[in-house]
Amino acid sequence: MWLKLFFLLLYFLVLFVLARFFEAIVWYETGIFATQLVDPVALSFKKLKTILECRGLGYSGLPEKKDVRELVEKSGDLMEGELYSALKEEEASESVSSTNFSGEMHFYELVEDTKDGIWLVQVIANDRSPLVGKIHWEKMVKKVSRFGIRTGTFNCSSDPRYCRRRGWVRSTLIMSVPQTSTSKGKVMLKEYSGRKIEVEHIFKWITAHAASRIKTIYNAEHLKEEWNKSDQYWLKIYLFANLDQPPAFFSALSIKFTGRVEFIFVNVENWDNKSYMTDIGIYNMPSYILRTPEGIYRYGNHTGEFISLQAMDSFLRSLQPEVNDLFVLSLVLVNLMAWMDLFITQGATIKRFVVLISTLGTYNSLLIISWLPVLGFLQLPYLDSFYEYSLKLLRYSNTTTLASWVRADWMFYSSHPALFLSTYLGHGLLIDYFEKKRRRNNNNDEVNANNLEWLSSLWDWYTSYLFHPIASFQNFPVESDWDEDPDLFLERLAFPDLWLHPLIPTDYIKNLPMWRFKCLGVQSEEEMSEGSQDTENDSESENTDTLSSEKEVFEDKQSVLHNSPGTASHCDAEACSCANKYCQTSPYERKGRSYGSYNTNEDMEPDWLTWPADMLHCTECVVCLENFENGCLLMGLPCGHVFHQNCIVMWLAGGRHCCPVCRWPSYKKKQPYAQHQPLSNYVPS
């Protein structure tokens, strides 16, 4: 995770340097910067109209270029970056989509329940033609969409009862505007009553209603009262201009930031005494002034602070963000960081995408889970001071020159998504190249793995977790019966009992401890003859016996699962038994004895030193109820109980994967018992 975070921060640094590089290229070729002011006199009439349309000012009654140029100057200074963005937006011939409402609920959900936006809806009455024709409606949609105004069409034929209840008996235009100045307040619907069905007149009607929600100041006394007033708003933005009404982008932002920022329009058109504006630091007209508890900030003096909707929207969002803005930002950053796994992961292509999907799901799930306590924390009372200090920190940091560069780069790359994606892809390919080179230097074999090899290893991993025991005491991988016979798996799939009961293979039986039962004081003829030799021969004989004994046990282990349960037999009776008198007793007497006891002091003492340390000491197999005889093969379970090897193999192979004594699972580890002492006080001489 930290590696991906490092690569993401490195990518942002590359974007920042690349933006400065583009600025240097533009300055070298043209000799201008994006923040350089443009003289409106040098612009053509078409470019001046484009600027007015982007700012939301009507020019229908201004036929001459001089009047249009003066209107541009009255609305604010023009920068090269704003001119470039306006011309690029004008050249883009993308058609803006408009919503078609299906009925009352659809209309209510999108229009009446939207508290922070403007809707323009064309209502088409039954058996009537629309008020605005198709060509003019498309122009209207494109014009108002620049200012965040959404559009739609409601055909009364889809829900005539709702139209009758609303009184829409003829085709008309409906505008939805928030009624109050509080966030998430009520919405009022206004109907167009004009006679001229033209785009400019309809747009002037929309901007007039939107501007009516902005507080307007017409004299110095009112300005002084408003400037010194302290209320619920921490941010206030003032527009000092010689205009009849504020631009449409300013009115649209006032609705978008309802309850967060207060927008005030100061109309200085007929002012005679402007001394108070000089006292508060307002010298130029027009001016966009941001009033904060920390002081005054003049909008337009830093990089990227254009007189446009997008620029001022990003500026105000950085100073007064909503919780949804922070969530969207964190969502974008987390997904950009997760996509780095596509380039960091080496190996097969399918492996890369599998890891990517897993990372995307994990990161997004963790993000949503981590946001839940944050939302609950923000709703707790007595957090006003924490909230205030957090916003103060944002205001201090986002009014710096570095923050203005970051906002300008954000607007640049968001308007050029192809450049953003190509730089991200190039950055990822460089990461992939260096990561592949590093792993090859470390002789990592996964770099050269193809898709089939990786899918095969993934299938092996999946089947091992699906069919092998969940808890196993083996310290090394085991081979499953499914690998040897895949038809067995297909055969078992035909029975639903496979999913009702756990399927446990018998591979673990091979790894159960096995040894031979021996008694102290019992020697064969070979052992007696070896006892008469010297000390050196004795040690060699002991080593030979040890190796041969280990070899026999190993051979017995290899043939455990190859013996048929039906042909398995018990240990052959020998003349010398550690518990021969115990064998002569009746089965009823043997059953009455305790587990692990033997008959009399005449019995020979078993050699407990040959037993594994974690096995319980006993002399009887509870499966066949027979004594352990000298030389017979024994097998122990994880619980510590010991049985004849053939007896317990038949028991386990029958599907009863548990101990016959304590019912502990035979494939599951268990904490070893404490070291047991011999059950007899007999000490061999």
Side-chain angles (χ1 to χ4, degrees), residues 215-231 236 238 262 264 266 271 276 280 291:
K215 184 181 296 185
T216 305
I217 297 176
Y218 295 98
N219 52 66
E221 290 76 12
H222 191 190
L223 174 62
K224 184 177 181 180
E225 179 185 354
E226 182 65 33
W227 190 268
N228 297 324
K229 184 176 65 175
S230 60
D231 49 16
K236 295 182 179 181
Y238 291 82
E262 185 178 14
I264 301 174
V266 182
W271 283 26
Y276 184 73
I280 62 178
R291 180 79 184 278

Side-chain angles (χ1 to χ4, degrees), residues 585-604:
T585 58
S586 64
Y588 300 100
E589 294 176 355
R590 292 197 298 267
K591 290 182 180 179
R593 301 193 178 189
S594 61
Y595 184 80
S597 63
Y598 50 91
N599 192 14
T600 64
N601 292 334
E602 298 179 3
D603 299 334
M604 295 296 181

Side-chain angles (χ1 to χ4, degrees), residues 344 346-348 352 431-450:
I344 297 176
Q346 298 298 315
R352 292 173 182 260
I431 294 175
D432 178 64
Y433 172 76
F434 287 110
E435 187 71 14
K436 186 178 297 182
K437 188 175 181 180
R438 183 185 66 85
R439 298 197 183 188
R440 281 179 177 174
N441 293 335
N442 297 335
N443 296 326
N444 199 331
D445 296 335
E446 69 175 2
V447 177
N448 299 322
N450 55 31

